[in-house]
Amino acid sequence: MKEEEILITGGAGQVGSELRLLFPNATSVTREDFDLRIEEEVQQMFKEKRPKIVIHTAAKVGGMKDNMDYPASYLEDNTLMNTLLLKYARRAGVERFIAILSSCIYPDTVDHYPLSESVSLSGPPAPANFFYAYSKRLMAIQIDAYNTQYKTKYNYVIPCNLYGTHNKEYSTRSHFPLALLTKIKNAVENKEDHIVLFGDGTPLRQFMHCRDLAQVLKIMITQKIYDNFNIATEESLSIEDIAKMGLEATGNTHLKIRYDKSKSNGQYRKDISIKKMKSIIKNYNFIPLMDGMKEVYETL
């Protein structure tokens, strides 16, 4: 493998930014370079860049509120990107295509946890990000179809919720760790005595530093791993426990936590199993959430 043969989509995003650090000689593209929803631009990208390996991290992503406010945009934009990239990657002779999915593809209701790869299509996803989830499910199905029809060796991974030190501008599209840490920072700066979180603090979540996902992707490429599998830490904590951890990590345990119970909790639980990953990649050590949140807070 030559780094120069790697193309990273979503190069300015959380995962793409970490991949650029790991593969400094790879080509990365952003929405300013090519609009991956437009067929002619995707064709031109493959004509110019001529990659042998594509790591597809680009996606329209956001928090629960943004997903619920703009369902058609999430479904349409992601489906267009995924379909066009696969179509023209194959036509350009791309040898490896690794797609980043999301644990939100899993059913909203199951009879056991953690969630294994075998149940990914066994029921409808959670309502809060239903349409985004289906665009990611379709990506998996498209890859399976390509491998069957065209004998490609493309694959995908399913990470848990992500956070990191890139793209730190808070908005309604922000995921929980950034939203939490931003609220803590604002409370300190405004000399407030509390932060307010949506829901009641009971839902369980896994959060993984984007650097860990990037590291696992690098291992997959260098070790020629073609399996589809979950990637996650084994920390599955309540929103309240994560909030308390955030206060401790930032040295602000004096702040109280209040809940706006008029807002939805979202999916109660969706922790994913890493049994398959551990059988493929031995002894990988993830960044502890406490350490990761401290790092992010220090960069805000």
Side-chain angles (χ1 to χ4, degrees), residues 10 48 50 56 123 127 134 187 240 254 269 280:
E48 288 182 15
R50 300 183 178 278
H56 177 33
Y134 259 105
E240 181 165 15
H254 65 284
R269 182 177 182 180
I280 298 167

Side-chain angles (χ1 to χ4, degrees), residues 18 35 43 62 141 146 207 253 262 265 288:
E18 294 290 352
D35 188 331
Q43 285 181 282
I141 293 169
Y146 268 62
F207 285 106
T253 54
S262 69
N265 271 327

Side-chain angles (χ1 to χ4, degrees), residues 48-83:
E48 288 182 15
K49 306 304 181 183
R50 300 183 178 278
K52 292 298 181 184
I53 299 172
V54 173
I55 310 175
H56 177 33
T57 78
K60 180 178 177 64
V61 296
M64 182 172 64
K65 184 179 186 304
D66 209 58
N67 271 269
M68 297 178 77
D69 288 346
Y70 304 102
S73 297
Y74 277 88
L75 179 64
E76 183 176 81
D77 287 358
N78 285 302
T79 301
L80 279 170
M81 279 190 274
N82 300 342
T83 301

Side-chain angles (χ1 to χ4, degrees), residues 103-104 113 115 161 204-206 267 269-272:
S103 60
C104 72
Y113 291 92
L115 297 157
N161 294 320
L204 303 176
R205 291 291 181 269
Q206 285 170 304
Q267 192 171 4
R269 182 177 182 180
K270 59 173 186 173
D271 46 303
I272 58 178

Side-chain angles (χ1 to χ4, degrees), residues 4 15 26 38 50 55 75 85 109 113 116 126 133 140 167 175 186 195 201 211 230 250 263-265 272 281 295 300:
E4 293 80 2
V15 181
I38 298 174
R50 300 183 178 278
I55 310 175
L75 179 64
L85 278 162
T109 303
Y113 291 92
S116 64
N167 295 351
H175 286 182
N186 290 342
I195 57 172
R211 189 176 305 131
N230 295 331
T250 63
K263 300 295 193 300
S264 171
N265 271 327
I272 58 178
I281 300 173
E295 178 189 0
L300 290 179

Side-chain angles (χ1 to χ4, degrees), residues 228-261:
N228 307 315
F229 55 89
N230 295 331
I231 304 175
T233 73
E234 292 184 287
E235 293 178 296
S236 183
L237 305 169
S238 72
I239 292 296
E240 181 165 15
D241 285 341
I242 295 170
K244 290 178 178 177
M245 187 180 290
L247 293 176
E248 184 178 348
T250 63
N252 291 298
T253 54
H254 65 284
L255 293 176
K256 299 179 180 65
I257 303 170
R258 297 180 184 173
Y259 294 99
D260 181 352
K261 296 182 181 179

Side-chain angles (χ1 to χ4, degrees), residues 158-189:
I158 309 168
C160 67
N161 294 320
L162 300 170
Y163 71 96
T165 57
H166 305 278
N167 295 351
K168 296 182 289 295
E169 183 178 352
Y170 173 70
S171 72
T172 58
R173 298 180 62 222
S174 298
H175 286 182
F176 179 65
L178 176 57
L180 168 68
L181 296 170
T182 302
K183 288 180 178 184
I184 293 172
K185 184 173 187 291
N186 290 342
V188 172
E189 291 179 348

Side-chain angles (χ1 to χ4, degrees), residues 90-102:
R90 184 194 68 83
R91 290 188 179 184
V94 169
E95 297 171 6
R96 285 219 62 175
F97 188 107
I98 306 176
I100 314 303
L101 304 190
S102 166

